[in-house]
């Protein structure tokens, strides 16, 4: 008998043996069309489920599938996809409906005939999983939840800048570094500072810090609120953090006249925080006890002392609480032998002139100023400081930041003059933000050239602020910003013509001026 040849369609298969059917469904070996030889066999009928119309062009024999993603996937949370790659494409393409760049996922061997692909969502909205040009499944990518925490010391020194850090963490196991800003507020909800977030150092977290300088003793409350820059993360607010400002920066501070006279009584006190502490304070002079244990009342212990030694004396105060806590502090005072004519200090800022005692002056941040000083007693003049500034000899270093530097000029007297200390207040001017960017200089570049604006290891500005890049509206069609996975920022010269790209970082109220840099490129 002459053999009969039947050509089968993708959805029906008539007259095939079990072995031939198995070979037909093998996605790695099956040909695009199947031919069966029926030589005197009883031909039965079997049907296959047709693939979706959108997939038929790339899946003519059926069997392609991409699964494993939940109905709602979270941005930054890794997902392992199960792939039936009937066409042997070797990769899955993920596209998003909100304009973010597509992802290409490599398929690697899995159990049996199933391949696996690792996917970490990096775009929002509906994600489409494609083999070739056909979509085989979709999922919705939603924002990652966040938590915000605040870290600050329990106590802060009056007049000294104290760092307060806010950390924004995307909910584990998300690897997404939340973008945006942190707003620091006080107990009344008033904004203290708004700071841009920096990615890291931990996985799925970003951080920002704020330098705060207390001006008077007391209890202060700070809270941080995360404000996302886009819909990829949800906002969150930290719990309130209590900071106690004291003269010493510790739990106990001593208050005594800086200058005393032998045999003349003075009253000094020690302040302990919190005010609810119950216990006692003991006072010392040069390490020797000069008082009994004095009860702490509303956070203060007071003692009246008649100095019986002269010269430079170290006064100390230590406390012990009823619960077993303890702490101490000290300060140096001058005790004169007998009343004398008070010394006088002349402090001169070159280029400006003499400073008046107890005057208020303004100095630029990040600068050094060398003073000239003299006294009536001809004794050396020494400078000291209790704020964020630093003093070396007669030179004062003004840091970047905000606050007030409390400068003191002192002499030990002599030649018939009593020691004297004169104070000056220095207000700080906001510093200038700088950054060492990678962007090449303005000029002409070939069309298609990709310029690195910010390298993967690029540091933030010297104020810790992120740099944001944009192209001015006029010329946007000539250039395009790119954001590779390595963390850099690049610019592609699209076509002939000019474009201006601008990098900027926000200022920090009272601490830093805004940062801005610009480059002008022309394609050729």
């Amino acid at each position: 008998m002459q053999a009969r040849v039947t050509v089968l369609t993708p959805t029906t298969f008539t007259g095939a043996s079990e072995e031939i059917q198995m070979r037909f469904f093998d996605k790695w070996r099956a040909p695009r069309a199947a031919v069966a030889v029926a030589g005197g066999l009883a031909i039965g009928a079997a049907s296959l489920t047709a693939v979706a119309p959108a997939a038929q062009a790339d899946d003519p024999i059926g069997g392609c599938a991409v699964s494993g993603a939940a109905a709602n996937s979270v941005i930054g949370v890794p997902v392992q996809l199960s792939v039936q790659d009937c066409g042997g494409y070797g990769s899955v393409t993920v596209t998003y409906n909100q304009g973010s760049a597509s992802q290409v996922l490599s398929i690697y061997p899995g159990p049996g005939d199933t391949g696996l692909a690792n996917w970490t969502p990096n775009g929002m909205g509906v994600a489409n999983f494609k083999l070739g040009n056909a979509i085989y499944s979709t999922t919705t990518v939603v924002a990652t939840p966040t938590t915000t925490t605040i870290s600050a010391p329990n106590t802060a020194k009056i007049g000294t800048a104290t760092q307060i850090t806010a950390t924004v963490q995307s909910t584990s196991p998300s690897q997404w570094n939340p973008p945006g800003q942190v707003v620091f507020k006080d107990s009344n909800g008033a904004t203290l500072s708004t700071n841009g977030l920096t990615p890291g150092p931990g996985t799925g977290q970003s951080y920002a810090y704020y330098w705060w300088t207390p001006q008077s003793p007391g209890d202060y409350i700070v809270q941080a609120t995360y404000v996302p820059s886009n819909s990829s993360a949800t906002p969150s607010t930290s719990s309130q953090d209590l900071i106690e400002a004291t003269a010493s920066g510790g739990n106990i501070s001593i208050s005594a006249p800086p200058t005393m006279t032998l045999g003349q009584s003075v009253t000094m006190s020690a302040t302990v925080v919190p005010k609810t502490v119950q216990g006692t304070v003991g006072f010392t002079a040069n390490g020797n006890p000069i008082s009994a244990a004095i009860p702490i009342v509303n956070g203060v212990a007071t003692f009246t002392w008649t100095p019986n030694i002269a010269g430079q004396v170290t006064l100390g105060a230590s406390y012990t609480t009823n619960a077993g806590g303890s702490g101490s502090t000290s300060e140096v005072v001058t005790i004169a032998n007998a009343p004398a004519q008070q010394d006088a200090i002349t402090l001169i800022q070159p280029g400006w002139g003499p400073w008046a005692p107890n005057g208020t002056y303004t100095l630029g941040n990040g600068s050094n100023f060398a003073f000239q000083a003299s006294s009536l007693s001809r004794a050396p003049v020494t400078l000291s400081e209790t704020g964020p500034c630093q003093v070396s000899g007669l030179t004062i270093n003004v840091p970047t930041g905000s606050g007030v530097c409390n400068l003191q000029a002192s002499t030990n007297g002599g030649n018939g003059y009593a020691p004297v200390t004169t104070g000056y207040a220095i207000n700080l001017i906001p510093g200038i933000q700088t950054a060492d960017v990678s962007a090449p200089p303005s000029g002409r570049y070939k069309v298609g050239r990709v310029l690195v604006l910010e390298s993967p290891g690029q540091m933030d500005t010297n104020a810790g602020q992120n740099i944001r890049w944009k192209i001015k509206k006029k010329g946007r069609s000539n250039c395009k910003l790119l954001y590779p996975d390595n963390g850099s920022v690049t610019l592609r010269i699209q076509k002939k013509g000019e474009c201006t790209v601008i990098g900027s970082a926000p200022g920090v109220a009272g601490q830093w001026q805004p940062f801005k840099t610009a480059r002008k490129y022309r394609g050729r």
Side-chain angles (χ1 to χ4, degrees):
M1 173 186 283
Q2 183 178 4
R4 182 175 60 185
V5 177
T6 303
V7 179
L8 304 178
T9 69
T11 56
T12 60
F13 194 153
T14 306
S17 68
E18 180 180 356
E19 178 181 356
I20 294 175
Q21 291 187 50
M22 291 173 65
R23 292 178 59 192
F24 178 82
F25 283 105
D26 186 341
K27 69 177 185 300
W28 304 114
R29 296 177 295 153
R32 292 294 182 175
V35 178
V37 179
L41 298 176
I43 304 299
S47 64
L48 302 177
T49 302
V51 297
Q56 287 181 355
D58 291 308
D59 187 11
I61 63 173
C64 275
V66 181
S67 60
N72 285 329
S73 298
V74 179
I75 193 166
V77 177
V79 177
Q80 189 174 74
L81 303 174
S82 178
V83 183
Q84 296 292 339
D85 186 9
C86 62
Y89 298 106
S91 64
V92 176
T93 300
V94 186
T95 59
Y96 299 87
N97 68 346
Q98 291 191 355
S100 59
S102 62
Q103 298 169 266
V104 178
L105 313 177
S106 297
I107 301 173
Y108 59 94
D113 288 336
T114 301
L116 300 175
N118 292 325
W119 172 55
T120 300
N122 66 1
M124 295 292 294
V126 176
N128 304 301
F129 302 101
K130 301 169 67 176
L131 291 171
N133 294 321
I135 298 173
Y136 284 90
S137 63
T138 63
T139 185
T140 300
V141 181
V142 298
T144 180
T146 66
T147 54
T148 298
T149 56
I150 194 168
S151 175
N154 294 328
T155 58
K157 188 176 182 179
I158 297 171
T160 301
T162 299
Q163 181 173 309
I164 302 173
T165 302
T167 301
V168 182
Q169 177 74 57
S170 58
T171 300
S172 181
S174 176
Q175 300 173 0
W176 186 259
N177 299 107
Q181 295 180 318
V182 167
V183 180
F184 294 92
K185 296 185 178 182
D186 62 17
S187 58
N188 297 318
T191 298
L192 300 172
S193 179
T194 299
N195 299 71
L197 282 167
T198 298
T203 301
Q205 68 177 214
S206 302
Y207 73 94
Y209 58 84
Y210 159 56
W211 287 98
W212 169 68
T213 303
Q215 301 300 322
S216 58
D219 297 340
Y220 296 86
I221 290 177
V222 183
Q223 191 171 36
T225 296
Y226 166 51
V227 181
S229 60
N230 54 47
S231 59
S232 62
T234 62
S236 55
T237 300
S238 73
S239 58
Q240 293 183 337
D241 194 39
L242 174 66
I243 308 173
E244 297 181 85
T246 67
S248 66
N251 288 352
I252 183 171
S253 301
I254 191 171
S255 176
T259 303
M260 307 179 189
T261 303
L262 190 68
Q264 293 185 3
S265 298
V266 294
T267 299
M268 51 188 177
S269 61
T271 302
V272 182
V273 295
K275 295 180 180 180
T276 55
V277 166
Q278 295 182 344
T280 58
V281 170
F283 291 88
T284 60
N286 291 337
N288 300 313
I290 58 175
S291 77
I294 300 173
I296 302 171
V297 179
N298 294 326
V300 178
T302 303
F303 172 62
T304 300
W305 178 55
T306 301
N308 56 3
I309 51 177
Q312 298 288 310
V313 176
T314 300
L315 295 179
S318 58
Y319 74 92
T320 302
T321 69
N322 295 347
S326 63
S328 62
T329 189
S330 64
E331 68 175 46
V332 177
V333 299
T334 300
I335 301 177
N337 277 306
Q341 182 180 353
Q342 192 173 51
D343 203 356
I345 295 173
T346 301
L347 186 68
I348 298 175
Q349 178 189 350
W352 174 268
W355 281 20
N358 301 315
T360 300
Y361 298 89
T362 300
L363 296 179
N365 291 358
S367 304
N368 291 318
F369 296 89
F371 288 87
Q372 299 171 355
S374 60
S375 66
L376 289 177
S377 67
R378 298 183 182 179
V381 176
T382 59
L383 298 181
S384 60
E385 205 279 321
T386 58
C389 296
Q390 295 180 344
V391 171
S392 176
L394 295 179
T395 299
I396 183 170
N397 174 262
V398 182
T400 53
S402 63
V404 177
C405 295
N406 300 303
L407 182 65
Q408 292 182 330
S410 305
T411 72
N412 291 329
N415 298 321
Y417 291 91
V420 68
T421 298
T422 304
Y424 313 88
I426 302 173
N427 292 323
L428 307 187
I429 301 174
I432 298 175
Q433 281 195 80
T434 61
D436 185 16
V437 298
S438 303
S442 301
R444 299 170 66 89
Y445 294 88
K446 289 184 178 180
V447 172
R449 176 82 176 271
V450 175
L451 308 178
V452 177
L453 302 180
E454 186 174 325
S455 60
Q458 173 70 51
M459 300 296 290
D460 298 328
T461 69
N462 58 338
Q465 298 288 74
N466 290 328
I467 299 175
R468 297 181 180 178
W469 297 92
K470 69 176 183 179
I471 301 172
K472 292 185 69 172
K473 185 175 182 180
K474 184 179 180 181
R476 287 180 182 173
S477 62
N478 299 331
C479 303
K480 182 178 181 180
L481 285 171
L482 304 174
Y483 301 90
D485 292 340
N486 62 3
S488 63
V489 180
T490 61
L491 180 80
R492 179 189 292 141
I493 307 299
Q494 298 279 84
K495 61 182 181 180
K496 291 183 178 180
E498 188 176 85
C499 67
T500 300
V501 60
I502 297 173
S504 62
V508 181
Q511 299 182 46
W512 296 95
Q513 299 176 18
F515 169 82
K516 186 175 182 180
T517 186
R519 300 288 190 277
K520 185 178 290 186
Y521 302 117
R522 177 178 290 276
R524 60 181 173 84

